[in-house]
């Protein structure tokens, strides 16, 4: 006898390519998962200071999450061995926590996903370590604003292309670039579900948004060119030109008249000033 992974015992929990539409009841599950991620990202803020290692951040977030009944979704995901991703400076995404010590002037994205009662919440934010320079500050500001503008497009009848267009236009108007090699994703009972949510595109293109769709928007923005490469560890994605990169991510649900942000910060810390 061998065991079938839980996710595959139920044929409804396999990525089919179709965009899932959830029911009104399902929003409550997403709220609980989203809130726990947001609380963990709030909790860690005072610890993201010069001298701390990314492993200490990972340990704190793992303990915090487990104590509150959440499962770290990244831990063991496709062989990933940590709870969060910590992506520093020119690391675009999927930086692996370890003995790297944060130093004054670093910018770091912390990306965390939890499972609560089978529902996934996925969010990331930027943290400034000590004093950062004006270019880094501008990059973070543009990245947050691009996410905000993308989310402003989320309402029934608009399309995924409207979201991508809003993000791309704002980023490029600021002479920065949108990473093409990674995208947002459907989420809910699955961590990474259809569709791929592109952070660039054309107005009116792509699938139409419908109430009950759950997905992430998570633009990665580079000060230089958009091109990335993945290091030999198989995870860490960096800018090819070594330029600084930033990202932020929310998990949202489409409602009758707009959206609900499941990963909004209870402490109002999503976008630090
Ligand atoms: N949280 C990331 C996302 O936004 C995925 C990280 S997968 C991991 O989709 F395995 F690297 F953790
Ligand atoms: Co995500
Ligand atoms: Co994420």
């Amino acid at each position: 006898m061998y065991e079938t992974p839980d996710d595959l015992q139920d044929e409804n929990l396999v990525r089919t390519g179709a965009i899932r539409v959830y029911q009104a009841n399902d929003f409550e599950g997403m709220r609980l998962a989203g809130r726990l991620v947001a609380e963990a990202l709030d909790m860690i803020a005072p610890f993201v200071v010069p001298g701390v290692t990314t492993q200490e951040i990972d340990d704190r977030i793992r303990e915090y999450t487990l104590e509150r009944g959440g499962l770290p979704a990244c831990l063991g995901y496709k062989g990933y061995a940590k709870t969060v991703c910590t992506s520093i400076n020119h690391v675009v995404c999927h930086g692996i926590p370890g003995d790297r010590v944060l130093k004054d002037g670093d910018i770091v994205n912390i990306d965390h996903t939890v499972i609560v009662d089978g529902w996934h919440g996925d969010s990331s934010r930027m943290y400034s370590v000590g004093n950062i320079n004006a270019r880094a500050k501008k990059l973070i500001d543009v990245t947050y604003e691009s996410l905000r503008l993308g989310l402003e497009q989320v309402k029934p009848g608009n399309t995924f292309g409207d979201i991508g267009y809003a993000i791309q236009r704002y980023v490029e108007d600021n002479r920065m670039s949108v990473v093409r090699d990674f995208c947002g994703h459907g989420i809910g009972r699955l961590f990474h579900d259809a569709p791929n949510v592109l952070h660039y595109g054309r107005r009116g293109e792509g699938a139409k948004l419908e109430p009950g769709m759950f997905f992430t928007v998570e633009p990665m923005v580079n000060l230089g060119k958009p091109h990335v490469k993945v290091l030999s560890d198989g995870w860490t994605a960096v800018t090819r030109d070594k330029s600084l990169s930033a990202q932020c991510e929310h998990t949202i649900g489409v409602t009758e008249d707009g959206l609900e942000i499941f990963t909004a910060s209870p402490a109002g810390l999503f976008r630090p000033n």
Side-chain angles (χ1 to χ4, degrees):
M1 282 288 285
Y2 58 89
E3 287 187 70
T4 308
D6 283 352
D7 273 9
L8 297 179
Q9 287 176 0
D10 180 344
E11 65 185 65
N12 291 321
L13 284 182
V14 178
R15 183 166 176 154
T16 63
I19 303 175
R20 237 170 269 271
V21 175
Y22 288 94
Q23 302 302 306
N25 291 341
D26 299 330
F27 279 71
E28 188 53 26
M30 292 299 283
R31 266 174 216 137
L32 295 176
R35 188 168 68 209
L36 182 53
V37 178
E39 287 170 343
L41 293 176
D42 286 350
M43 174 280 295
I44 204 68
F47 299 103
V48 187
V49 292
V52 78
T53 66
T54 50
Q55 183 62 55
E56 291 170 58
I57 290 171
D58 195 73
D59 290 340
R60 280 191 190 276
I61 294 183
R62 186 184 57 260
E63 290 308 314
Y64 183 93
T65 301
L66 290 169
E67 279 167 7
R68 285 160 184 77
L71 293 175
C74 295
L75 196 53
Y77 178 80
K78 296 185 178 177
Y80 193 75
K82 304 290 174 174
T83 291
V84 296
C85 298
T86 48
S87 301
I88 303 169
N89 298 341
H90 73 298
V91 179
V92 173
C93 62
H94 302 164
I96 305 172
D99 53 18
R100 167 71 151 86
V101 177
L102 295 180
K103 59 179 197 298
D104 188 65
D106 284 338
I107 61 171
V108 58
N109 175 276
I110 302 177
D111 191 342
H112 184 35
T113 308
V114 305
I115 309 171
V116 176
D117 290 335
W119 297 101
H120 291 75
D122 183 6
S123 183
S124 81
R125 307 178 190 168
M126 296 304 296
Y127 298 80
S128 305
V129 182
N131 294 306
I132 63 170
N133 69 34
R135 288 293 284 162
K137 176 81 170 76
K138 176 75 178 167
L139 170 66
I140 292 174
D141 288 347
V142 167
T143 305
Y144 277 100
E145 181 63 7
S146 77
L147 174 59
R148 195 191 67 73
L149 290 167
L151 294 179
E152 201 173 75
Q153 294 298 316
V154 178
K155 57 181 173 218
N158 275 6
T159 69
F160 282 96
D162 294 328
I163 300 171
Y165 173 81
I167 293 168
Q168 182 181 14
R169 186 191 51 186
Y170 183 74
V171 169
E172 292 181 356
D173 281 354
N174 282 279
R175 296 177 310 283
M176 299 179 192
S177 65
V178 174
V179 170
R180 308 293 204 275
D181 297 21
F182 297 96
C183 51
H185 47 94
I187 190 169
R189 302 303 284 178
L190 290 179
F191 185 176
H192 291 117
D193 205 351
N196 289 335
V197 179
L198 306 182
H199 304 115
Y200 56 92
R202 294 173 201 260
R203 273 191 274 212
E205 286 192 352
K208 264 202 164 61
L209 303 176
E210 292 176 36
M213 289 179 175
F214 297 161
F215 55 89
T216 73
V217 183
E218 47 182 299
M220 281 142 276
V221 177
N222 298 348
L223 275 184
K225 298 225 154 59
H227 311 109
V228 312
K229 67 176 179 189
V230 175
L231 301 186
S232 58
D233 61 22
W235 288 103
T236 311
V238 300
T239 55
R240 283 192 173 268
D241 63 9
K242 305 263 174 44
S243 66
L244 278 188
S245 185
Q247 178 179 25
C248 50
E249 173 176 27
H250 269 316
T251 295
I252 67 100
V254 183
T255 63
E256 294 298 329
D257 56 4
L259 81 168
E260 178 170 343
I261 299 178
F262 297 125
T263 47
S265 165
L269 297 178
F270 183 72
R271 182 192 169 138
N273 284 303

